[in-house]
Amino acid sequence: MPDFKDILDIHPNPCVIHIDFVPKYANNAFAKFSGMASAEDVLNLESIQVLFEEDHWPEARRRYKHAIETGTPTPPEVINHTDLKGNPMIAEITDKVIDWYGEKAMCTFVSVVTDQVCRERTLRDMANRDDLTNLYNRRYLLDLFNDRNTTPQRRQYLAMVDIDHFKRINDSFGHPVGDLVLKQLARIIEEFTEPEECAFRLGGEEFALLLRADDRNHASGRLEMLRCSIEDLTVRVSQSNKQPLAINCTVSIGFTQISDSEGFISASLRADKSLYQAKESGRNKVMNNDCGD
């Protein structure tokens, strides 16, 4: 290994060699990656683990132990990293066991992939967004529904939200005005959501929500507040040489509690049934027909 030291010294990728995370060699690129002045500063550390987020330590130890015991390289791993100066980045780490003066050591190469990962995340997020409202779309709802996590004593509910008589808005004022109404309602619906909740546009004038609540009454109360917020909304549309349009609308909402192992179809059928009953009973209502809670 020491024969290649001159090559690693000038290599643009960060590289560090360590035994049980105690640094034995580091190039200047690794020092810069870590927010340190020189490779000598890295070698003065008791452990290079302090250079990585603590959440990564257990996995790093597991990877180290497995590689040393088996002699096999570890697969590349992408992690979040913040250098000692507080600069966040995303790094891909690759490890390989080497001989360091008669001892087994780990040679760790680092590639900074912040831009690449951010581009991939942006493209992935764009594919999951509705073009008009920028809310999440049906595809993402299905993915999230299947991967949802339960929170103790915070039950999860699926709500369907439908604009009442939306066709009249399109027929009376045109589709560009209808699109403006959709975007304004989408903003209110998105602002309604809390962390770990999501809003979606399913298509046309139909929206959906995955929300958390303590019980059915809590969920109903929150959705009633959303209904009132939309009822109070006035969408104003400028017109050349005319008085601005002032458009008001209401929504009907049906919701249901989701069981831990339930699929999207059965839950959505119940929520849709509640939505249908809200419309049949006069619209501009929040309905739920779950038995018990």
Side-chain angles (χ1 to χ4, degrees), residues 161-224:
V161 181
D162 195 87
I163 303 175
D164 297 326
H165 303 299
F166 183 68
K167 186 175 183 298
R168 295 180 186 174
I169 297 176
N170 279 335
D171 291 346
S172 300
F173 307 110
H175 287 277
V177 174
D179 287 349
L180 183 60
V181 171
L182 288 170
K183 288 191 282 188
Q184 291 284 335
L185 261 66
R187 177 181 58 80
I188 291 178
I189 292 171
E190 186 169 38
E191 290 175 352
F192 164 82
T193 59
E194 296 179 350
E196 299 185 1
E197 298 181 340
C198 275
F200 312 83
R201 183 187 177 206
L202 302 184
E205 67 272 28
E206 188 174 15
F207 300 85
L209 287 160
L210 276 179
L211 67 150
R212 297 188 182 277
D214 298 327
D215 53 37
R216 179 170 53 179
N217 289 336
H218 182 207
S220 181
R222 288 190 60 203
L223 291 168
E224 179 65 20

Side-chain angles (χ1 to χ4, degrees), residues 6 12 16 54 97 112 114 120 127 150 198 205 235 238 254 276 283:
D6 290 342
V16 62
E54 193 169 347
V97 178
V112 178
T114 307
E120 291 173 354
T150 57
C198 275
E205 67 272 28
V235 179
S238 299
Y276 175 79
R283 303 178 190 268

Side-chain angles (χ1 to χ4, degrees), residues 3 6 12 18 26 33 66 102 105 129 147 153 162 164 166 173 214 221 249 258:
D3 295 338
D6 290 342
H18 57 96
F33 164 77
H66 181 266
R129 295 279 184 177
D147 296 337
Q153 300 180 3
D162 195 87
D164 297 326
F166 183 68
F173 307 110
D214 298 327
C249 62
I258 307 168

